[in-house]
Amino acid sequence: MELRTISDIQALQAQNGKLGKENLGQNEFMELMLAQMQNQDPFKPVDNAEFLGQMAQFSTVSGISEINQSMASLADSLKSSQMLNAASLVDKTALVASPSAPFDGSTAINGRVELPASTSGVQVEVVKSNGEVVRRMSLGPQAAGTVDYTWDGRDNSGSTVPAGEYQLKVSYFAGNQQEALENHIHAQITSVSLPSQGGSANIELKGLGQFQLSDVKSIS
């Protein structure tokens, strides 16, 4: 069999189960070129243009290998940088959308809503798991935009409620109708983790559980 090109030799070795085309590396490429030169027909040598073309293939393979190594190094550096940045978030306060919040028996809960329009009144209802409303707070007239509120953990009679999970239902008056608003809670970041396959980092919020960093509205 006359072996005139790298492809000829590569195909032959692939048939023998020694090397697949997709696994061709720099060392294997050089071995193939040497084998080609040793096995070429002296009466029909590879011409200069074909030889230069194969050298160009070798340069391409070498360049791709170096690019892959550089990209791997860059990815490692970025991951290290992400981990350092993520670690700096621990103990900070994140704002995330949540319809409920845990009350520990003493620490006030801070929430926030976004009003789409000015209103004559905003109302916050604190509801137990059985559906009982333990506290109803009126925030009065508000302009469109951000509205913050705080629940001190007391019921309508002024007594501190037991520790537990409570729903926080916020609504506003839109003309003669009462419309619900998406509720957001401020919570402490206790840990941050990076996913192994890329994507957004995950944060653990005290009492609320795990959220993606992309779900966070603000950090303070």
Side-chain angles (χ1 to χ4, degrees), residues 9 81 101 122 200 210 216:
I9 300 172
S81 177
V122 176
S200 178
Q210 193 174 84
V216 176

Side-chain angles (χ1 to χ4, degrees), residues 21-39:
K21 183 175 182 179
E22 65 277 8
N23 297 321
L24 185 63
Q26 295 183 46
N27 293 335
E28 291 82 4
F29 203 106
M30 182 61 72
E31 290 176 4
L32 292 177
M33 288 194 66
L34 292 175
Q36 176 190 358
M37 296 178 68
Q38 293 171 355
N39 290 279

Side-chain angles (χ1 to χ4, degrees), residues 27-196:
N27 293 335
E28 291 82 4
F29 203 106
M30 182 61 72
E31 290 176 4
L32 292 177
M33 288 194 66
L34 292 175
Q36 176 190 358
M37 296 178 68
Q38 293 171 355
N39 290 279
Q40 67 179 338
D41 187 342
F43 297 102
K44 297 180 181 179
V46 177
D47 61 31
N48 292 337
E50 187 174 358
F51 184 77
L52 290 175
Q54 293 178 33
M55 288 299 296
Q57 292 180 45
F58 177 77
S59 298
T60 300
V61 171
S62 177
I64 291 175
S65 176
E66 291 175 0
I67 290 174
N68 288 339
Q69 292 177 1
S70 298
M71 291 299 294
S73 177
L74 178 59
D76 290 340
S77 298
L78 288 175
K79 188 170 184 178
S80 298
S81 177
Q82 283 182 315
M83 184 61 73
L84 289 174
N85 291 333
S88 68
L89 297 177
V90 176
D91 291 333
K92 293 186 181 296
T93 299
L95 180 71
V96 294
S98 178
S100 62
F103 177 59
D104 62 9
S106 60
T107 307
I109 292 175
N110 297 305
R112 174 180 291 180
V113 293
E114 290 289 336
L115 272 175
S118 298
T119 179
S120 59
V122 176
Q123 181 175 275
V124 180
E125 288 184 336
V126 182
V127 186
K128 292 174 64 175
S129 58
N130 63 3
E132 177 188 353
V133 178
V134 298
R135 180 73 180 275
R136 184 175 285 110
M137 300 184 296
S138 177
L139 306 183
Q142 299 286 340
T146 300
V147 177
D148 293 301
Y149 71 88
T150 299
W151 175 48
D152 58 7
R154 299 180 184 276
D155 60 18
N156 288 324
S157 65
S159 301
T160 301
V161 302
E165 189 84 9
Y166 292 85
Q167 275 193 306
L168 295 158
K169 297 182 177 181
V170 188
S171 59
Y172 74 105
F173 292 100
N176 296 324
Q177 294 184 335
Q178 197 168 3
E179 301 286 346
L181 291 168
E182 183 180 37
N183 186 60
H184 294 79
I185 295 294
H186 293 277
Q188 182 185 17
I189 301 173
T190 57
S191 66
V192 182
S193 60
L194 296 177
S196 58

